[in-house]
Amino acid sequence: MEESPGEGSIDKSRVLNVTPLRTLTPVFSSPPNFNSFPQGSPPFVCVPPAGPFPPGFSPFFPFSGIQNQSVPSGDHTPISSAVPINSFRSPEPRSAREANGNAGSSRRAYKARGKKEKIVSPDVDLDVMVENILQSYNLVEFEEARRYDGDKDSVGHVLLVFNLLRRQIAQLEESKEATLSKRPDLKAGNVLMTKGVRTNVKKRVGAVPGVEIGDIFFFRMELCTIGLHAPIMAGIDYMSVKISLDEEPIAVSIVSSGGYKDDVEDDDGLIYSGQGKEMDQKLERGNLALEKSLHRGNDIRVIRGIKDVGNPTGKVYVYDGLYRIQESWVEKGKSGSNVFRYKLGRLPGQPDAYKLWKKIQQWKDGSIPRTGIILPDLTSGAETLPVSLVNDVDHEKGPAYFNYSPTLKYSKPVPRDPFVGCACNGACLPGNENCDCVQKNGGYLPHIVNGVIVSQKSVIYECGPPCRCPPTCRNRVSQGGLRVRLEVFKTKDRGWGLRSWDPIRAGAFICVYAGEAVDDSKAQELAGENEDNHIFDGTRIYQPVEVLPGDLNNAPNLQYPLIINARNAGNVARFINHSCSPNLFWQPVLRGNSKEFDLHIAFYAIRHVPPMTELTYSYGMVPPEKADHGKKKCLCGSPKCRGFFY
């Protein structure tokens, strides 16, 4: 018989016993200055996912925000303190991975098929990136008052910083061989919560300052950072109120997203199921809070979760306003367990939110007609999606005649840089150092999934006809046509405008500006004829978009003056009106074409835009010597309106 190892140690070089894995007792790493367990198995330790944890142990994903990665066998170095598991990761030989059927990520599998793309992870410090974003917003020291009681500005800044950080984390992680986290939204939210960059921390009954009915969100963490609904996963948020000497819970908000098959009675009411699925629900926590709210009659915020048409696995969360519980009862669920049911009614006099979403869906289905429609498709099939022409304000039959064209036409050659094109046969991959287009964009792809741009840049480079990548390549976003259902509509006092039937997420591509590129003399001629209403002027002064700080020089920087005339021919972009608080920004895009680059203008969303909200961008300012020409009264209605625009 072999000699036993010394007491207090385990000889892992030999297999002493073979036991089914499910019968093994968990063995935990020893904290510093703590001997291993003596003979016999250590006692089973059950720790809640969120802690508290024994000394020497740390939380795990998703409660820590970083997903742990498994440690390959063969590394028996004692771990003396809590460190990231991937610090001990040693790459296996390629042959070993393939022999075990471990092809890894799709990117590694793509390389294994003989492709020569080399993936390089740019060295970026996440903490430094976060500090730069916070400093650019002057949010390093977020005021205590704004944390507890927010306003529209503080809510807007928190959401915009969250989405910018989330997109940059996603871009950083997808460029790495091994993904750090599959949920950049949780990571971004955790960072902001830790830094104290949040608002409306104080729980309250009723409306939340800075949040308007109809506002939309694409992540539950957004609801948490602005104080609309605190729990990241639970559907009921509640607080304690003092009654005489006792305290009792009352509900302050619920998220109705179909997890319990809630029966929606009509546009202004719903039947909400209590918490608990596995067995008979108990009158405790959230269920008890709802029952108490029934008797107290307090207002409850309702957030509706609706399927995201742009992301089949995701949802769009719509703030639908204030409701009150009218009655409650217990009934048998599908599993045979008792389920609490609560009937809520919407308070009258509130703007439409969920009701508007249902109406838009009926327009799409054709079950009800769109009121005031003039043309079902203004583009006559030139776009990937129809664009309706609508006037439900007066009797005007449409804008002045023009030819609809989704392309930009150059009337004469312009100076361009040489361009050969990338040799990516499949698609351009993040971090591919052999892709010329990726390297021109600093080693990253400018867009993450769903065609969402990471941040505003002075210029981005897109693939073009000389490139080998397919039309579906993620680096061809502006070439794929419209992605949301738009309509050109008659405004009350600003002529014709543009809006969307679909929800638009922050950073989403909207359209390009089409028309004819003209020189400055031609633009001045058009201005003299007072025909400059459909002109994009890239020579004007544009401040960096304050809500999308990308790099240090993120203001649009055109390599040569670009002025686009869309008076006689153009696309939907010619109808985008000016606003002093715009929800779109324009981005210069250089697109490779015939060994050179063509310059284009693409529009992206600054923030989430609810359906039927007018799309606007800033027309910019003119140099002082031209300040007296083309000045018009601004009717954008923004609280930050300058009173004029050019």
Side-chain angles (χ1 to χ4, degrees):
M1 184 173 178
E2 298 291 345
E3 182 179 351
S4 300
E7 183 177 351
S9 64
I10 300 175
D11 184 4
K12 296 182 180 179
S13 63
R14 299 180 181 274
V15 178
L16 301 180
N17 190 16
V18 178
T19 311
L21 184 61
R22 63 183 179 180
T23 67
L24 296 180
T25 306
V27 179
F28 298 93
S29 302
S30 300
N33 304 321
F34 187 83
N35 293 330
S36 301
F37 288 99
Q39 294 179 356
S41 300
F44 182 79
V45 180
C46 182
V47 181
F53 297 89
F57 301 101
S58 59
F60 53 87
F61 178 83
F63 302 95
S64 64
I66 301 179
Q67 186 175 4
N68 289 343
Q69 299 178 14
S70 59
V71 184
S73 59
D75 185 358
H76 306 300
T77 306
I79 302 176
S80 60
S81 60
V83 293
I85 293 180
N86 57 8
S87 300
F88 299 92
R89 193 185 190 105
S90 56
E92 297 181 24
R94 178 176 172 181
S95 58
R97 289 200 307 266
E98 294 176 350
N100 291 326
N102 181 13
S105 68
S106 59
R107 188 179 300 122
R108 289 195 290 263
Y110 183 73
K111 295 196 313 182
R113 291 194 292 268
K115 304 302 178 184
K116 298 181 180 180
E117 284 80 355
K118 183 177 180 181
I119 307 301
V120 177
S121 300
D123 188 13
V124 178
D125 190 317
L126 180 59
D127 291 334
V128 173
M129 181 178 71
V130 172
E131 289 301 320
N132 288 339
I133 294 175
L134 297 183
Q135 288 178 6
S136 66
Y137 277 96
N138 195 26
L139 295 179
V140 177
E141 296 294 336
F142 203 58
E143 298 91 335
E144 196 73 15
R146 299 179 72 186
R147 290 181 187 171
Y148 284 90
D149 293 290
D151 53 25
K152 191 169 184 178
D153 285 342
S154 59
V155 167
H157 277 85
V158 169
L159 290 175
L160 289 161
V161 171
F162 167 83
N163 279 287
L164 175 61
L165 180 59
R166 180 193 65 82
R167 297 196 300 267
Q168 291 195 346
I169 291 174
Q171 183 190 53
L172 176 64
E173 291 178 346
E174 70 178 7
S175 67
K176 295 180 179 292
E177 289 269 11
T179 305
L180 296 178
S181 170
K182 295 180 180 179
R183 293 293 302 272
D185 56 316
L186 296 180
K187 181 71 173 178
N190 183 51
V191 169
L192 294 188
M193 303 280 271
T194 303
K195 298 283 186 181
V197 181
R198 55 188 302 193
T199 189
N200 293 317
V201 174
K202 181 178 68 176
K203 284 195 176 184
R204 69 197 74 217
V205 174
V208 173
V211 182
E212 298 180 355
I213 296 174
D215 283 351
I216 63 173
F217 312 90
F218 287 84
F219 302 94
R220 287 285 295 265
M221 187 61 81
E222 292 179 291
L223 310 179
C224 183
T225 57
I226 64 171
L228 184 62
H229 185 83
I232 300 175
M233 298 182 66
I236 305 172
D237 190 11
Y238 57 93
M239 61 181 289
S240 295
V241 295
K242 194 167 186 179
I243 307 297
S244 301
L245 299 178
D246 300 325
E247 289 189 352
E248 66 179 27
I250 60 171
V252 294
S253 63
I254 62 172
V255 175
S256 176
S257 56
Y260 290 86
K261 304 298 181 184
D262 300 324
D263 299 325
V264 178
E265 284 195 335
D266 52 44
D267 301 335
D268 295 323
L270 65 92
I271 297 177
Y272 188 81
S273 299
Q275 293 177 331
K277 289 185 177 181
E278 301 300 327
M279 57 187 68
D280 289 346
Q281 294 183 354
K282 298 180 180 179
L283 194 61
E284 60 184 14
R285 298 191 295 273
N287 296 338
L288 179 60
L290 289 174
E291 190 68 27
K292 294 294 184 181
S293 292
L294 168 62
H295 299 292
R296 291 181 61 88
N298 64 279
D299 297 344
I300 298 175
R301 299 184 296 273
V302 171
I303 300 99
R304 305 260 194 169
I306 303 172
K307 184 178 179 180
D308 182 6
V309 294
N311 180 15
T313 61
K315 290 184 180 295
V316 185
Y317 298 96
V318 184
Y319 175 45
D320 198 31
L322 300 177
Y323 284 64
R324 286 183 183 173
I325 302 178
Q326 298 172 343
E327 59 178 306
S328 68
W329 64 94
V330 179
E331 65 181 40
K332 291 290 184 181
K334 291 184 177 180
S335 63
S337 302
N338 291 329
V339 177
F340 291 105
R341 305 280 272 174
Y342 302 90
K343 182 179 180 181
L344 293 91
R346 193 168 189 259
L347 300 186
Q350 300 181 94
D352 290 341
Y354 179 67
K355 183 177 181 179
L356 176 61
W357 282 66
K358 291 187 65 177
K359 182 184 295 185
I360 293 173
Q361 187 59 50
Q362 290 174 319
W363 295 345
K364 292 180 178 180
D365 297 341
S367 55
I368 63 171
R370 171 72 172 100
T371 304
I373 193 164
I374 300 173
L375 288 174
D377 185 10
L378 176 67
T379 76
S380 300
E383 296 284 6
T384 54
L385 294 173
V387 178
S388 303
L389 179 64
V390 176
N391 183 359
D392 52 9
V393 175
D394 54 33
H395 300 290
E396 188 175 354
K397 295 302 181 183
Y401 177 80
F402 73 102
N403 290 319
Y404 194 96
S405 173
T407 60
L408 176 61
K409 177 183 177 182
Y410 283 93
S411 56
K412 61 181 181 179
V414 292
R416 297 168 181 160
D417 294 332
F419 178 73
V420 177
C422 67
C424 303
N425 291 322
C428 297
L429 299 175
N432 183 2
E433 70 172 6
N434 293 328
C435 175
D436 292 338
C437 298
V438 168
Q439 294 308 309
K440 282 184 175 293
N441 286 302
Y444 296 103
L445 287 177
H447 305 86
I448 56 175
V449 294
N450 295 334
V452 172
I453 194 171
V454 175
S455 62
Q456 185 184 33
K457 298 291 185 181
S458 57
V459 66
I460 62 176
Y461 294 85
E462 277 195 349
C463 299
C467 299
R468 295 184 182 179
C469 55
T472 55
C473 175
R474 201 198 303 175
N475 200 35
R476 297 176 180 264
V477 169
S478 72
Q479 305 168 43
L482 302 181
R483 297 189 173 206
V484 293
R485 180 71 185 270
L486 301 173
E487 78 169 20
V488 174
F489 73 105
K490 183 66 181 297
T491 68
K492 293 182 179 180
D493 53 8
R494 300 200 297 161
W496 297 88
L498 186 69
R499 60 190 177 194
S500 171
W501 288 11
D502 298 321
I504 300 173
R505 68 171 62 207
F509 169 74
I510 306 301
C511 65
V512 295
Y513 203 107
E516 179 185 7
V518 298
D519 55 25
D520 187 62
S521 60
K522 179 64 174 177
Q524 293 296 329
E525 178 183 340
L526 293 172
E529 298 174 359
N530 197 29
E531 293 290 348
D532 58 342
N533 289 335
H534 300 297
I535 289 182
F536 173 85
D537 191 348
T539 66
R540 292 182 179 177
I541 302 172
Y542 294 88
Q543 296 297 324
V545 179
E546 62 176 355
V547 294
L548 263 174
D551 51 28
L552 295 178
N553 301 305
N554 63 341
N557 180 22
L558 300 182
Q559 295 185 349
Y560 53 88
L562 178 62
I563 302 174
I564 303 175
N565 175 22
R567 174 188 175 186
N568 298 319
N571 66 340
V572 292
R574 72 196 295 274
F575 296 105
I576 304 178
N577 284 318
H578 163 83
S579 176
C580 299
S581 298
N583 50 29
L584 305 182
F585 70 93
W586 61 273
Q587 170 67 58
V589 176
L590 284 174
R591 190 183 300 168
N593 184 25
S594 302
K595 297 185 179 182
E596 51 197 15
F597 283 100
D598 288 335
L599 181 61
H600 297 262
I601 301 300
F603 288 92
Y604 294 86
I606 295 173
R607 53 184 175 270
H608 300 330
V609 183
M612 304 304 287
T613 301
E614 184 176 5
L615 304 176
T616 58
Y617 78 101
S618 172
Y619 285 5
M621 303 295 289
V622 301
E625 61 271 16
K626 298 182 179 180
D628 295 331
H629 302 285
K631 194 173 183 179
K632 296 184 178 181
K633 182 180 179 180
C634 182
L635 300 173
C636 70
S638 165
K640 300 180 180 180
C641 181
R642 295 190 300 264
F644 65 91
F645 72 99
Y646 292 94

